Amino acid sequence: MKILVANRGEIARRVMATARRLGHQTVAVYADPDAGAPFVAEADAAVRLGPAELAASYLSVPRLIAALEASGADAVHPGYGFLAENAAFARAVQAAGATWIGPKPEAIEAMGSKIEARRLAAAAGVPIIPGFDTSQDPAALADAASAIGYPVLIKAAAGGGGKGIRIVHEPAGFAAALREASTEAERSFGDGAVIVERYIQRPRHVEVQVVGDRYGTVIHLGTRECSVQRRYQKVLEEAPAPNLPDATRAGLQTAAVELARSIGYDSAGTMEFIVDDETGDFFFLEMNTRLQVEHPVTECVTGLDLVELMFRSAAGEPVAVAQESVTFSGHAFEARINAEDPANGFAPQIGTVTHLRVPAGVRWDAAVVEGSAITPFYDSMVAKLITHGPDREAARRQLATALDGLVLGGLVTNTGFQRWLVDQPPVVAGRVTTRFLDETALPPTPPPALTEAALAWRTTTADTRGPAPWAAMGSFRLTPHRPRQVVALRAAGAGGVGAPAETHEVEVDASVAARWEGVGRLEIVDDGADAARRVAASVDRPGRSVAVNVGGYTHSFDVVSRSERWAPAAGAGHGSATAITAPFPAAVAEVLVTPGQAVGGGDPVVVIEAMKMLHTLSAAGAGTVDEVRVAAGDQVQSNQVLVTFADPES
Ligand code: ADP
Ligand code: ADP
Ligand code: MG
């Protein structure tokens, strides 16, 4: 069989891995920015869809169907996101004579709207959140919110990925939040319909994986906990959900199976629930009629391949595993690795992966390899780091160790933030609500790991006539006749927002010794310190760059040669008093000012969109708008001037 994967990045690679294992041929489809991506290189065949714009590529049903026909593929797996929950696409695939590797289109449709899904859940006897309203009249919704009782949540009916969700604490904020949620819903899903519902005060997000077939069989593969969230988006997931009363777990699993059965669900899917941590009550949230990002943790604990189960159901085979024979072994965690800067409001980052070392013994589902570019066109998740241990604590420690051993350099990512998270007491205890990250002070940004980076570089290059760096493993490489050395380092990967990188002259002398203890592992011995420190590190000698992991953060540097050392660094700020410039390549979503308009410091001026997120650029000081150089819909480059000001204050 030949399987076309209508997706990109890590999930395209993930689906193709199973296809290959089962002896199928694979077809990738790609937009221009992905032409050099690993998922394209690894496929047996690849079809270009078009330019970067989603509407011309991954979201274009006609282009995907044309690719299907041109490639002669027999089946389509949609991955997650994009058109995975689009019934019209599923039908178009079937109309083209190919197999849709997913649920029947009617099931996608039924669960596509949170309004309809809620109705179906209630009909199947599954508890739904008490207090909600689906009328679309603003005044009626406001009345409903007051009747439900604040705080309430406004959600996009067609929602997904946390888009179009606003929490409202009091009546005064309702109208503005409704407008925002509805605009975001319209923008993201082409449907501004919303629902209003009671906000559960101590919510946990617990979900149940189900698998069904065409013959009415539905089994569940246990629970996952995804309560560690930021802006309603999952950050760290695990299976099974810890600290659930037996009755709650059993109730969730039964409810999930009954609801799936009631709609004749015939593929892999996920029922999401809110569990009230105060009462243990649970309520149906939504069903995702597709493979989920966090499916690997379920695969780890059940030993099943969910993509394979989807292939089999789609081929008309009955679910081969009986519920009684599903076994659960140990515990698994998944950390989402995103190209984003936690120290900078989690702003998405672009750049090139210059260094990549993944520790052994973990599952690494990644979109990238060394040399891969992260472009501004798609979402910021670049990889998932998954660990599986005999119990929860073992799996958690493995994740911590893996995050300490990972080197992912060349751009800023959230690995250090994840490393911090793994040790937070509520995470250690398995007692997290979705409010955890909002209620917790985030870790301070660590100082750049200059000494470690300089040592890694020096240890590799000290004897330039010696053998290759890795051949010297195990022996100290300090050259006694060069006791003091200056290594000039410039932070790499400041491709996104941030000050221009300065050059640091780092002096390392004989009071510290370092050696390569194994590939990618540097042992550092400080004079007077009791024990050696170990850091994961990677040196690219011809590329003159070095990346070291300290505390989970990969710090990447270019090693500056003497001749370059005095050259001025490039780059500029983004919100000066005289102009607003784009901090990264993006699309202009909205221009909020017109020429002649007076603005105050902090006033929003332009909203740009990159990596599926909206970013508001604000005035640095008071002034009058002089020129507006862009309009909504324009594609802008990094550092491009968007709006200028006359008579700025400073
Ligand atoms: P999406 O389609 O964007 O995934 P969901 O309905 O699944 O939307 O909600 C996303 C997240 O928002 C949930 O995981 C949960 O953390 C939070 N959430 C949703 N509804 C409620 C609620 N009524 N009370 C508290 N938190 C909620
Ligand atoms: P190159 O011409 O190789 O770019 P320089 O002329 O600046 O470098 O320096 C000569 C020697 O000093 C080289 O052999 C190199 O190994 C070492 N060196 C250069 N730059 C650095 C640096 N930033 N840190 C440590 N050693 C350096
Ligand atoms: Mg959801």
Side-chain angles (χ1 to χ4, degrees):
M1 202 157 65
K2 197 188 259 192
I3 296 174
L4 181 146
V5 183
N7 215 297
R8 62 182 298 282
E10 71 89 16
I11 196 59
R13 293 179 88 192
R14 160 71 193 91
V15 172
M16 289 181 201
T18 291
R20 260 193 306 274
R21 184 173 61 74
L22 298 176
H24 303 308
Q25 296 280 103
T26 57
V27 180
V29 291
Y30 65 95
D32 291 341
D34 285 332
F39 77 90
V40 176
E42 288 164 9
D44 295 310
V47 181
R48 174 184 181 266
L49 293 172
E53 291 88 289
L54 290 176
S57 54
Y58 301 109
L59 289 184
S60 166
V61 173
R63 290 192 187 197
L64 286 162
I65 297 299
L68 172 63
E69 282 166 350
S71 66
D74 316 285
V76 173
H77 193 294
Y80 53 68
F82 294 142
L83 297 173
E85 293 180 276
N86 186 306
F89 179 52
R91 288 203 173 93
V93 167
Q94 292 173 339
T99 301
W100 168 252
I101 305 172
K104 59 184 183 187
E106 298 75 23
I108 300 178
E109 231 151 37
M111 289 296 176
S113 159
K114 288 188 166 57
I115 299 173
E116 174 67 0
R118 183 188 300 263
R119 202 186 58 71
L120 289 166
V126 174
I128 54 175
I129 289 169
F132 67 93
D133 195 88
T134 59
S135 59
Q136 296 307 313
D137 171 53
L141 278 173
D143 289 346
S146 295
I148 290 165
Y150 284 86
V152 297
L153 211 59
I154 307 177
K155 284 190 200 177
K163 293 255 150 38
I165 298 185
R166 291 291 182 282
I167 182 169
V168 195
H169 294 279
E170 50 190 32
F174 189 82
L178 177 60
R179 237 182 350 258
E180 280 175 29
S182 184
T183 308
E184 200 167 300
E186 179 69 47
R187 181 188 290 286
S188 308
F189 313 110
D191 175 0
V194 297
I195 59 181
V196 173
E197 68 187 24
R198 172 176 300 165
Y199 180 75
I200 306 297
Q201 299 278 352
R202 306 296 309 164
R204 285 175 62 180
H205 175 116
V206 179
E207 57 188 35
V208 178
Q209 176 71 53
V210 298
V211 181
D213 63 25
R214 284 187 204 162
Y215 314 100
T217 301
V218 176
I219 61 167
H220 73 80
L221 301 181
T223 55
R224 292 188 287 259
E225 171 116 22
C226 316
S227 295
V228 182
Q229 298 188 351
R230 235 197 100 254
R231 295 194 177 179
Y232 311 105
Q233 296 186 21
K234 298 161 186 167
V235 175
L236 179 68
E237 302 108 331
E238 58 184 290
N243 298 317
L244 268 191
D246 287 347
T248 307
R249 191 183 308 278
L252 286 165
Q253 290 170 169
T254 305
V257 168
E258 308 250 289
L259 179 49
R261 216 171 260 153
S262 77
I263 59 166
Y265 197 74
D266 59 348
S267 184
T270 297
M271 300 289 177
E272 296 189 332
F273 298 90
I274 289 276
V275 174
D276 186 333
D277 201 34
E278 268 157 15
T279 62
D281 293 341
F282 65 83
F283 310 103
F284 172 75
L285 257 188
E286 65 163 341
M287 178 175 192
N288 293 323
T289 52
R290 56 169 163 86
L291 193 63
Q292 200 99 332
V293 175
E294 58 274 22
H295 76 277
V297 290
T298 298
E299 295 187 323
C300 287
V301 298
T302 61
L304 296 168
D305 179 330
L306 282 166
V307 174
E308 176 177 352
L309 296 180
M310 291 181 82
F311 285 179
R312 296 196 181 286
S313 292
E317 294 179 30
V319 173
V321 214
Q323 184 71 65
E324 311 78 67
S325 1
V326 177
T327 53
F328 298 93
S329 126
H331 202 96
F333 277 93
E334 173 183 281
R336 296 192 189 200
I337 310 299
N338 298 333
E340 63 188 14
D341 185 1
N344 214 323
F346 293 85
Q349 304 289 305
I350 55 170
T352 300
V353 176
T354 52
H355 297 261
L356 179 59
R357 282 178 190 281
V358 180
V362 300
R363 176 166 166 183
W364 174 252
D365 282 18
V368 296
V369 295
E370 212 167 76
S372 291
I374 311 295
T375 65
F377 306 104
Y378 311 108
D379 76 75
S380 60
M381 194 178 79
V382 294
K384 308 183 303 203
L385 179 58
I386 302 124
T387 59
H388 180 207
D391 57 38
R392 185 174 187 276
E393 182 57 11
R396 191 190 67 81
R397 280 172 192 267
Q398 279 180 30
L399 182 59
T401 305
L403 284 164
D404 282 332
L406 176 71
V407 178
L408 175 55
L411 74 167
V412 179
T413 73
N414 67 341
T415 56
F417 171 74
Q418 288 282 16
R419 179 65 188 86
W420 165 85
L421 202 49
V422 167
D423 278 349
Q424 290 304 293
V427 174
V428 175
R431 296 219 161 265
V432 177
T433 74
T434 60
R435 290 164 66 169
F436 167 65
L437 284 177
D438 293 328
E439 292 171 344
T440 309
L442 299 184
T445 311
L450 292 167
T451 307
E452 292 82 355
L455 284 168
W457 178 257
R458 187 187 63 174
T459 305
T460 308
T461 57
D463 179 2
T464 51
R465 292 149 304 169
W470 312 123
M473 271 161 24
S475 66
F476 277 83
R477 293 186 57 84
L478 260 188
T479 40
H481 60 280
R482 290 179 82 183
R484 279 161 55 106
Q485 251 189 319
V486 171
V487 183
L489 298 171
R490 187 179 289 159
V497 192
E502 60 179 301
T503 299
H504 303 269
E505 309 232 331
V506 187
E507 196 174 303
V508 280
D509 62 28
S511 68
V512 271
R515 65 172 184 141
W516 291 104
E517 189 188 44
V519 172
R521 285 198 309 170
L522 192 70
E523 186 187 65
I524 299 174
V525 187
D526 295 85
D527 259 4
D530 295 342
R533 297 191 289 135
R534 284 175 180 78
V535 298
S538 166
V539 173
D540 174 2
R541 201 170 171 175
R544 299 186 67 88
S545 68
V546 49
V548 293
N549 176 331
V550 176
Y553 295 84
T554 297
H555 302 258
S556 328
F557 301 93
D558 293 322
V559 180
V560 183
S561 67
R562 269 161 225 172
S563 43
E564 291 171 306
R565 214 169 291 172
W566 305 110
H574 301 288
S576 79
T578 53
I580 296 278
T581 53
F584 35 74
V588 176
E590 207 175 342
V591 179
L592 303 166
V593 297
T594 48
Q597 185 177 333
V599 295
D603 283 358
V605 176
V606 179
V607 182
I608 58 173
E609 184 174 11
M611 290 174 145
K612 299 203 310 189
M613 302 272 287
L614 295 176
H615 305 270
T616 303
L617 306 177
S618 304
T624 306
V625 175
D626 184 17
E627 272 179 82
V628 173
R629 298 194 186 170
V630 289
D634 288 0
Q635 197 68 35
V636 296
Q637 299 307 315
S638 203
N639 291 323
Q640 182 176 334
V641 174
L642 312 180
V643 171
T644 62
F645 301 107
D647 11 286
E649 195 177 57
S650 51

